[in-house]
Every structure is written in C-alpha cells, then in structure tokens.
Amino acid sequence: MEQQKQHWKEKAADYKMFAGVLLALSVFLYIGTLLPTIAPEKKAYLLPFIAILLIGAFSFFQRAIKYIRLLREIDE
C-alpha cells in the first residue's frame, strides 16, 4: 500500500509540473501576441495553439487533483 501511495504522489507531482510548464508556455506565447512586431496572420495560428496549451494544462491539473484526492481518501 505504501508503494501505491508513493506512486500516486509521484504522479500528482509530475502532473502538476506538466501543467505548470504548459501554463507558462501559453502565457509566454500570449504575451508574444500582444507585441506589435508580430504579423497579424501569425496571430491567427498562435491563439488556437495557446488555447490547446491551456486545455492541456487544465487537464493535467485535474489529473493531479484526482491523485491527491485518492491519497487523502487512503489516509482517512
């Protein structure tokens, strides 16, 4: 059981890390779209990509929360 708990802790930490990286990347790209040097036709490609990154970050946060809830249920 302890091995399972450790495995879930590692998964939760990994998913949080993945989500943080995707969130940081999407913020970085969004700030890039606000700069006046980028061509308008390139913004049309970046905005859907940013939305995909945000959806991925949200998904990874949800998975991390799932494993954290499992850990709390086992501890109770």
Coordinates of all heavy atoms in Angstrom, one line a residue:
M1 N 0.8 -1.2 0.0 CA 0.0 0.0 0.0 C 0.9 1.3 0.0 O 0.5 2.2 -0.6 CB -0.9 0.0 1.2 CG -2.0 1.0 1.2 SD -3.0 0.8 -0.3 CE -4.6 1.1 0.3
E2 N 2.0 1.2 0.7 CA 2.9 2.4 0.8 C 3.5 2.6 -0.6 O 3.7 3.8 -1.0 CB 4.0 2.2 1.8 CG 3.5 2.3 3.2 CD 3.0 3.7 3.5 OE1 3.6 4.7 3.1 OE2 2.0 3.8 4.2
Q3 N 3.8 1.6 -1.3 CA 4.3 1.7 -2.7 C 3.3 2.4 -3.6 O 3.6 3.2 -4.4 CB 4.7 0.4 -3.2 CG 5.5 0.4 -4.5 CD 5.9 -0.9 -5.0 OE1 5.4 -2.0 -4.5 NE2 6.8 -0.9 -6.0
Q4 N 2.0 2.0 -3.4 CA 1.0 2.6 -4.2 C 0.8 4.1 -3.9 O 0.7 4.9 -4.8 CB -0.4 1.9 -4.0 CG -1.5 2.4 -4.8 CD -1.4 2.0 -6.2 OE1 -0.7 1.0 -6.6 NE2 -2.1 2.6 -7.1
K5 N 0.9 4.5 -2.6 CA 0.8 5.9 -2.2 C 1.9 6.7 -2.8 O 1.7 7.8 -3.2 CB 0.7 5.9 -0.7 CG -0.6 5.6 -0.1 CD -0.6 5.5 1.4 CE -0.2 6.8 2.1 NZ -0.3 6.7 3.6
Q6 N 3.1 6.1 -2.7 CA 4.3 6.8 -3.2 C 4.2 7.0 -4.7 O 4.5 8.1 -5.3 CB 5.6 6.0 -2.9 CG 6.8 6.7 -3.4 CD 7.1 8.0 -2.6 OE1 6.6 8.2 -1.5 NE2 7.8 8.9 -3.3
H7 N 3.7 6.0 -5.4 CA 3.4 6.1 -6.9 C 2.4 7.2 -7.2 O 2.7 8.0 -8.1 CB 3.0 4.7 -7.4 CG 2.8 4.7 -8.9 ND1 3.8 4.7 -9.7 CD2 1.7 4.6 -9.6 CE1 3.4 4.7 -11.0 NE2 2.1 4.6 -10.9
W8 N 1.4 7.3 -6.4 CA 0.4 8.3 -6.7 C 0.9 9.7 -6.4 O 0.6 10.7 -7.0 CB -0.9 8.1 -5.9 CG -1.7 7.0 -6.4 CD1 -1.6 6.4 -7.6 CD2 -2.8 6.3 -5.7 NE1 -2.5 5.4 -7.8 CE2 -3.3 5.3 -6.6 CE3 -3.3 6.4 -4.5 CZ2 -4.3 4.5 -6.3 CZ3 -4.4 5.6 -4.1 CH2 -4.9 4.6 -5.0
K9 N 1.7 9.8 -5.3 CA 2.4 11.1 -5.0 C 3.3 11.6 -6.1 O 3.3 12.8 -6.5 CB 3.2 11.0 -3.7 CG 2.4 11.1 -2.5 CD 3.4 11.0 -1.3 CE 2.6 10.9 0.0 NZ 3.4 10.8 1.2
E10 N 4.0 10.7 -6.7 CA 4.9 11.0 -7.8 C 4.1 11.4 -9.0 O 4.5 12.3 -9.7 CB 5.8 9.8 -8.1 CG 6.8 9.5 -7.1 CD 7.6 8.2 -7.3 OE1 7.3 7.5 -8.3 OE2 8.5 7.9 -6.5
K11 N 3.0 10.7 -9.3 CA 2.2 11.0 -10.4 C 1.6 12.4 -10.3 O 1.5 13.2 -11.2 CB 1.1 10.0 -10.6 CG 1.5 8.8 -11.4 CD 0.3 8.0 -11.8 CE 0.7 7.0 -12.8 NZ -0.3 6.7 -13.8
A12 N 1.1 12.7 -9.1 CA 0.5 14.0 -8.8 C 1.5 15.1 -9.0 O 1.2 16.2 -9.6 CB -0.1 14.1 -7.4
A13 N 2.7 14.9 -8.5 CA 3.8 15.9 -8.7 C 4.1 16.1 -10.1 O 4.3 17.2 -10.6 CB 5.0 15.5 -7.8
D14 N 4.2 15.0 -10.9 CA 4.5 15.1 -12.3 C 3.4 15.9 -13.1 O 3.8 16.7 -13.9 CB 4.7 13.7 -12.9 CG 6.0 13.0 -12.5 OD1 6.9 13.8 -12.0 OD2 6.1 11.8 -12.7
Y15 N 2.2 15.5 -12.8 CA 1.1 16.2 -13.5 C 1.1 17.7 -13.1 O 0.8 18.5 -14.0 CB -0.2 15.6 -13.2 CG -0.5 14.3 -13.9 CD1 -1.0 13.2 -13.3 CD2 -0.2 14.2 -15.3 CE1 -1.2 12.0 -13.9 CE2 -0.4 13.0 -15.9 CZ -0.9 11.9 -15.3 OH -1.2 10.7 -16.0
K16 N 1.4 18.1 -11.9 CA 1.5 19.5 -11.6 C 2.6 20.2 -12.3 O 2.4 21.3 -12.8 CB 1.7 19.6 -10.0 CG 0.5 19.5 -9.2 CD 0.9 19.8 -7.8 CE -0.1 19.3 -6.8 NZ 0.3 19.5 -5.4
M17 N 3.7 19.5 -12.4 CA 4.8 20.0 -13.2 C 4.5 20.2 -14.7 O 4.8 21.3 -15.2 CB 6.1 19.1 -13.0 CG 7.3 19.6 -13.7 SD 8.5 20.5 -12.7 CE 8.6 19.5 -11.3
F18 N 3.9 19.2 -15.3 CA 3.5 19.3 -16.7 C 2.5 20.5 -16.9 O 2.6 21.3 -17.8 CB 2.8 18.1 -17.2 CG 3.7 16.9 -17.2 CD1 3.2 15.6 -17.1 CD2 5.1 17.0 -17.4 CE1 4.0 14.5 -17.1 CE2 5.9 15.8 -17.4 CZ 5.3 14.6 -17.2
A19 N 1.6 20.6 -16.0 CA 0.6 21.7 -16.1 C 1.2 23.1 -15.9 O 0.9 24.0 -16.6 CB -0.5 21.5 -15.0
G20 N 2.2 23.2 -15.0 CA 2.9 24.4 -14.8 C 3.7 24.8 -16.0 O 3.7 26.0 -16.4
V21 N 4.3 23.9 -16.7 CA 5.1 24.2 -17.9 C 4.2 24.6 -19.0 O 4.5 25.6 -19.7 CB 5.9 22.9 -18.3 CG1 6.5 23.1 -19.7 CG2 7.0 22.7 -17.3
L22 N 3.1 23.9 -19.2 CA 2.1 24.3 -20.3 C 1.5 25.6 -20.0 O 1.3 26.4 -20.9 CB 1.0 23.2 -20.4 CG 1.4 21.9 -21.0 CD1 0.2 20.9 -21.0 CD2 2.0 22.0 -22.3
L23 N 1.2 25.9 -18.8 CA 0.7 27.2 -18.4 C 1.7 28.3 -18.7 O 1.4 29.4 -19.2 CB 0.2 27.2 -17.0 CG -0.5 28.4 -16.5 CD1 -1.8 28.6 -17.2 CD2 -0.8 28.3 -15.0
A24 N 2.9 28.1 -18.3 CA 4.0 29.1 -18.5 C 4.2 29.3 -20.0 O 4.4 30.5 -20.5 CB 5.3 28.7 -17.8
L25 N 4.2 28.3 -20.8 CA 4.4 28.4 -22.2 C 3.3 29.1 -22.9 O 3.5 30.0 -23.7 CB 4.5 27.0 -22.8 CG 4.8 26.9 -24.3 CD1 6.1 27.7 -24.7 CD2 4.8 25.5 -24.8
S26 N 2.0 28.9 -22.4 CA 0.9 29.6 -23.0 C 0.9 31.1 -22.7 O 0.6 31.9 -23.5 CB -0.4 29.0 -22.6 OG -0.6 29.1 -21.2
V27 N 1.3 31.4 -21.4 CA 1.4 32.8 -21.0 C 2.5 33.5 -21.9 O 2.4 34.6 -22.3 CB 1.7 32.9 -19.5 CG1 2.1 34.3 -19.2 CG2 0.5 32.5 -18.8
F28 N 3.7 32.8 -22.0 CA 4.8 33.4 -22.8 C 4.3 33.6 -24.3 O 4.6 34.7 -24.8 CB 5.9 32.4 -22.8 CG 7.1 32.8 -23.6 CD1 7.9 33.9 -23.2 CD2 7.4 32.2 -24.8 CE1 9.0 34.3 -23.9 CE2 8.5 32.6 -25.6 CZ 9.3 33.6 -25.1
L29 N 3.6 32.7 -24.9 CA 3.1 32.9 -26.2 C 2.1 34.0 -26.3 O 2.0 34.7 -27.3 CB 2.6 31.6 -26.8 CG 3.6 30.5 -27.1 CD1 3.0 29.2 -27.5 CD2 4.6 31.0 -28.1
Y30 N 1.2 34.1 -25.3 CA 0.2 35.1 -25.3 C 0.8 36.5 -25.2 O 0.4 37.4 -25.9 CB -0.8 34.9 -24.2 CG -1.9 35.9 -24.2 CD1 -2.9 35.9 -25.2 CD2 -2.0 36.9 -23.3 CE1 -3.9 36.8 -25.2 CE2 -3.0 37.9 -23.3 CZ -4.0 37.8 -24.3 OH -5.0 38.7 -24.3
I31 N 1.8 36.6 -24.4 CA 2.5 37.9 -24.3 C 3.1 38.2 -25.6 O 3.2 39.4 -26.1 CB 3.5 37.9 -23.2 CG1 2.8 37.9 -21.8 CG2 4.5 39.1 -23.2 CD1 3.7 37.6 -20.6
G32 N 3.6 37.2 -26.3 CA 4.2 37.5 -27.7 C 3.2 38.0 -28.7 O 3.5 38.7 -29.6
T33 N 1.9 37.6 -28.5 CA 0.9 38.1 -29.4 C 0.5 39.5 -29.1 O 0.0 40.2 -30.0 CB -0.4 37.2 -29.3 OG1 -0.9 37.3 -28.0 CG2 -0.2 35.8 -29.7
L34 N 0.8 40.0 -27.9 CA 0.5 41.4 -27.6 C 1.5 42.4 -28.1 O 1.3 43.5 -28.3 CB 0.4 41.5 -26.1 CG -0.7 40.8 -25.4 CD1 -0.6 40.9 -23.9 CD2 -2.1 41.2 -25.9
L35 N 2.7 41.9 -28.5 CA 3.7 42.7 -29.0 C 3.4 43.2 -30.4 O 2.9 42.4 -31.2 CB 5.1 42.0 -29.0 CG 5.6 41.6 -27.7 CD1 6.9 40.8 -27.8 CD2 5.9 42.8 -26.8
P36 N 3.6 44.4 -30.8 CA 3.2 44.9 -32.1 C 4.1 44.4 -33.3 O 3.8 44.6 -34.4 CB 3.4 46.4 -32.0 CG 4.4 46.6 -30.9 CD 4.2 45.5 -30.0
T37 N 5.2 43.7 -33.0 CA 6.1 43.2 -34.0 C 5.6 42.0 -34.8 O 6.1 41.7 -35.9 CB 7.5 43.0 -33.5 OG1 7.4 41.9 -32.5 CG2 8.1 44.2 -32.9
I38 N 4.7 41.3 -34.2 CA 4.2 40.0 -34.8 C 3.2 40.4 -35.9 O 2.4 41.3 -35.8 CB 3.7 39.1 -33.8 CG1 3.5 37.7 -34.4 CG2 2.4 39.6 -33.2 CD1 3.2 36.6 -33.3
A39 N 3.3 39.6 -37.0 CA 2.4 39.8 -38.1 C 1.0 39.3 -37.7 O 0.8 38.3 -37.0 CB 2.9 39.1 -39.3
P40 N -0.1 40.0 -38.2 CA -1.5 39.6 -37.8 C -1.8 38.2 -38.3 O -2.6 37.5 -37.6 CB -2.4 40.6 -38.5 CG -1.5 41.8 -38.8 CD -0.1 41.2 -38.9
E41 N -1.2 37.7 -39.4 CA -1.6 36.4 -39.9 C -1.0 35.3 -39.0 O -1.5 34.2 -38.9 CB -1.2 36.2 -41.3 CG 0.3 36.3 -41.6 CD 0.8 37.8 -41.9 OE1 -0.1 38.7 -41.9 OE2 2.0 37.9 -42.2
K42 N 0.1 35.6 -38.3 CA 0.7 34.7 -37.4 C -0.1 34.6 -36.1 O -0.1 33.6 -35.4 CB 2.2 35.0 -37.1 CG 3.1 34.8 -38.3 CD 4.5 35.1 -37.9 CE 5.4 34.9 -39.2 NZ 6.8 35.1 -38.9
K43 N -0.7 35.7 -35.7 CA -1.6 35.6 -34.5 C -2.7 34.6 -34.7 O -3.1 34.0 -33.7 CB -2.1 37.0 -34.2 CG -1.2 38.0 -33.6 CD -1.9 39.3 -33.2 CE -0.9 40.3 -32.7 NZ -1.5 41.5 -32.4
A44 N -3.2 34.5 -35.9 CA -4.3 33.6 -36.1 C -3.9 32.1 -35.8 O -4.7 31.3 -35.5 CB -4.8 33.7 -37.5
Y45 N -2.6 31.8 -36.0 CA -2.1 30.5 -35.7 C -1.8 30.3 -34.2 O -1.9 29.2 -33.7 CB -0.9 30.2 -36.6 CG -1.2 30.1 -38.0 CD1 -0.7 31.0 -38.9 CD2 -2.0 29.1 -38.5 CE1 -0.9 30.9 -40.3 CE2 -2.3 29.0 -39.9 CZ -1.7 29.9 -40.8 OH -2.0 29.8 -42.1
L46 N -1.3 31.4 -33.6 CA -0.9 31.2 -32.2 C -2.1 31.1 -31.2 O -2.0 30.4 -30.3 CB -0.1 32.4 -31.8 CG 1.4 32.4 -32.2 CD1 2.1 33.7 -31.8 CD2 2.1 31.2 -31.6
L47 N -3.2 31.8 -31.5 CA -4.2 31.8 -30.5 C -4.9 30.4 -30.3 O -5.1 30.0 -29.2 CB -5.3 32.9 -30.9 CG -4.7 34.3 -30.7 CD1 -5.8 35.3 -31.1 CD2 -4.3 34.6 -29.3
P48 N -5.2 29.7 -31.4 CA -5.7 28.3 -31.1 C -4.7 27.4 -30.4 O -5.0 26.6 -29.6 CB -6.0 27.8 -32.5 CG -6.1 29.0 -33.4 CD -5.3 30.0 -32.8
F49 N -3.4 27.6 -30.8 CA -2.3 26.8 -30.1 C -2.3 27.2 -28.6 O -2.1 26.3 -27.8 CB -1.0 27.1 -30.8 CG 0.1 26.3 -30.2 CD1 0.1 24.9 -30.4 CD2 1.2 26.9 -29.6 CE1 1.2 24.2 -29.9 CE2 2.3 26.1 -29.1 CZ 2.2 24.8 -29.2
I50 N -2.4 28.4 -28.3 CA -2.5 28.8 -26.9 C -3.7 28.2 -26.1 O -3.6 27.7 -25.0 CB -2.5 30.4 -26.7 CG1 -1.1 30.9 -27.2 CG2 -2.8 30.8 -25.3 CD1 -1.1 32.4 -27.4
A51 N -4.8 28.2 -26.8 CA -6.0 27.6 -26.2 C -5.8 26.1 -26.0 O -6.2 25.5 -24.9 CB -7.2 27.8 -27.1
I52 N -5.1 25.4 -26.9 CA -4.8 24.0 -26.7 C -3.9 23.8 -25.5 O -4.1 22.8 -24.8 CB -4.2 23.4 -28.0 CG1 -5.3 23.3 -29.1 CG2 -3.6 22.0 -27.8 CD1 -4.8 23.0 -30.5
L53 N -2.9 24.6 -25.4 CA -2.0 24.5 -24.3 C -2.7 24.7 -23.0 O -2.5 24.0 -22.0 CB -0.8 25.5 -24.4 CG 0.2 25.2 -25.5 CD1 1.2 26.4 -25.6 CD2 0.9 24.0 -25.2
L54 N -3.6 25.7 -22.9 CA -4.4 25.9 -21.7 C -5.3 24.8 -21.3 O -5.5 24.4 -20.2 CB -5.2 27.2 -21.8 CG -4.4 28.5 -21.8 CD1 -5.2 29.7 -22.1 CD2 -3.7 28.7 -20.4
I55 N -5.9 24.2 -22.4 CA -6.8 23.0 -22.1 C -5.9 21.8 -21.6 O -6.3 21.1 -20.7 CB -7.5 22.6 -23.4 CG1 -8.5 23.7 -23.8 CG2 -8.1 21.2 -23.3 CD1 -9.2 23.5 -25.1
G56 N -4.7 21.7 -22.2 CA -3.8 20.6 -21.7 C -3.4 20.9 -20.2 O -3.4 19.9 -19.4
A57 N -3.1 22.1 -19.9 CA -2.7 22.5 -18.5 C -3.9 22.2 -17.6 O -3.7 21.6 -16.5 CB -2.3 23.9 -18.4
F58 N -5.1 22.6 -17.9 CA -6.3 22.3 -17.1 C -6.4 20.8 -16.9 O -6.7 20.3 -15.8 CB -7.5 22.9 -17.7 CG -8.8 22.7 -17.0 CD1 -9.0 23.4 -15.8 CD2 -9.7 21.8 -17.5 CE1 -10.2 23.1 -15.1 CE2 -10.9 21.5 -16.8 CZ -11.1 22.2 -15.6
S59 N -6.2 20.0 -18.0 CA -6.4 18.6 -17.9 C -5.4 18.0 -16.9 O -5.7 17.1 -16.1 CB -6.2 18.0 -19.3 OG -6.2 16.6 -19.2
F60 N -4.1 18.4 -17.0 CA -3.1 17.9 -16.1 C -3.4 18.3 -14.7 O -3.1 17.5 -13.8 CB -1.7 18.3 -16.5 CG -1.2 17.6 -17.7 CD1 -0.6 18.2 -18.8 CD2 -1.2 16.2 -17.8 CE1 -0.1 17.5 -19.9 CE2 -0.7 15.5 -18.8 CZ -0.2 16.2 -19.9
F61 N -3.9 19.5 -14.4 CA -4.2 19.9 -13.1 C -5.4 19.0 -12.5 O -5.4 18.6 -11.4 CB -4.7 21.4 -13.0 CG -3.5 22.3 -12.8 CD1 -3.4 23.4 -13.7 CD2 -2.6 22.2 -11.8 CE1 -2.3 24.3 -13.5 CE2 -1.6 23.1 -11.7 CZ -1.4 24.1 -12.5
Q62 N -6.3 18.7 -13.4 CA -7.4 17.8 -13.0 C -6.9 16.4 -12.6 O -7.4 15.8 -11.6 CB -8.5 17.7 -14.1 CG -9.3 19.0 -14.3 CD -10.2 19.3 -13.1 OE1 -10.2 18.6 -12.1 NE2 -11.0 20.3 -13.3
R63 N -6.0 15.9 -13.4 CA -5.4 14.6 -13.1 C -4.7 14.6 -11.7 O -4.7 13.7 -11.0 CB -4.5 14.1 -14.2 CG -5.3 13.8 -15.4 CD -4.4 13.3 -16.5 NE -5.1 13.1 -17.7 CZ -4.5 12.6 -18.8 NH1 -3.2 12.4 -18.9 NH2 -5.2 12.5 -19.9
A64 N -3.9 15.7 -11.5 CA -3.2 15.8 -10.3 C -4.1 15.9 -9.1 O -3.9 15.2 -8.1 CB -2.3 17.1 -10.3
I65 N -5.2 16.6 -9.2 CA -6.2 16.7 -8.2 C -6.9 15.3 -7.9 O -7.1 14.9 -6.7 CB -7.3 17.7 -8.5 CG1 -6.7 19.1 -8.4 CG2 -8.5 17.6 -7.6 CD1 -7.6 20.2 -9.0
K66 N -7.1 14.5 -9.0 CA -7.6 13.2 -8.8 C -6.7 12.3 -7.9 O -7.2 11.6 -7.0 CB -7.8 12.5 -10.2 CG -8.4 11.1 -10.1 CD -8.5 10.5 -11.5 CE -7.4 9.5 -11.7 NZ -7.5 8.8 -13.0
Y67 N -5.4 12.4 -8.2 CA -4.5 11.5 -7.4 C -4.3 12.1 -6.0 O -4.2 11.3 -5.0 CB -3.1 11.5 -8.1 CG -3.1 10.5 -9.2 CD1 -3.0 11.0 -10.5 CD2 -3.3 9.1 -9.0 CE1 -3.1 10.1 -11.6 CE2 -3.3 8.3 -10.1 CZ -3.2 8.7 -11.4 OH -3.3 7.9 -12.5
I68 N -4.4 13.4 -5.8 CA -4.4 13.9 -4.4 C -5.6 13.5 -3.6 O -5.5 13.2 -2.5 CB -4.2 15.5 -4.5 CG1 -2.8 15.8 -5.0 CG2 -4.5 16.1 -3.1 CD1 -2.7 17.3 -5.4
R69 N -6.8 13.5 -4.3 CA -8.0 13.0 -3.6 C -7.9 11.5 -3.2 O -8.3 11.1 -2.1 CB -9.2 13.2 -4.5 CG -9.6 14.7 -4.5 CD -10.9 14.8 -5.3 NE -11.2 16.2 -5.4 CZ -12.0 16.7 -6.4 NH1 -12.4 16.0 -7.4 NH2 -12.2 18.0 -6.4
L70 N -7.3 10.7 -4.1 CA -7.1 9.3 -3.8 C -6.2 9.2 -2.6 O -6.4 8.3 -1.7 CB -6.5 8.6 -5.0 CG -7.4 8.3 -6.1 CD1 -6.7 7.7 -7.3 CD2 -8.5 7.3 -5.7
L71 N -5.1 10.0 -2.5 CA -4.2 9.9 -1.4 C -4.9 10.3 -0.1 O -4.7 9.7 1.0 CB -3.0 10.8 -1.6 CG -2.0 10.3 -2.6 CD1 -1.0 11.4 -3.0 CD2 -1.3 9.1 -2.1
R72 N -5.7 11.3 -0.1 CA -6.5 11.8 1.1 C -7.5 10.7 1.5 O -7.7 10.5 2.7 CB -7.2 13.1 0.8 CG -6.2 14.2 0.8 CD -6.9 15.5 0.6 NE -6.0 16.6 0.5 CZ -6.3 17.8 0.0 NH1 -7.5 18.0 -0.5 NH2 -5.4 18.7 -0.1
E73 N -8.1 10.0 0.6 CA -9.1 9.0 0.9 C -8.4 7.8 1.6 O -8.9 7.2 2.6 CB -9.9 8.5 -0.3 CG -10.9 9.5 -0.8 CD -11.5 9.1 -2.1 OE1 -11.3 7.9 -2.5 OE2 -12.3 9.8 -2.7
I74 N -7.2 7.5 1.2 CA -6.5 6.4 1.8 C -6.0 6.7 3.2 O -6.0 5.9 4.1 CB -5.3 6.0 0.9 CG1 -5.8 5.2 -0.4 CG2 -4.3 5.1 1.6 CD1 -4.8 4.8 -1.3
D75 N -5.6 8.0 3.4 CA -5.1 8.4 4.7 C -6.2 8.5 5.7 O -5.9 8.4 6.9 CB -4.4 9.8 4.6 CG -3.1 9.7 3.9 OD1 -2.5 8.6 3.8 OD2 -2.6 10.7 3.3
E76 N -7.4 8.7 5.3 CA -8.5 8.7 6.2 C -9.0 7.4 6.7 O -8.8 6.5 7.1 CB -9.8 9.4 5.6 CG -9.5 10.9 5.3 CD -10.7 11.5 4.6 OE1 -11.7 10.8 4.3 OE2 -10.7 12.7 4.5

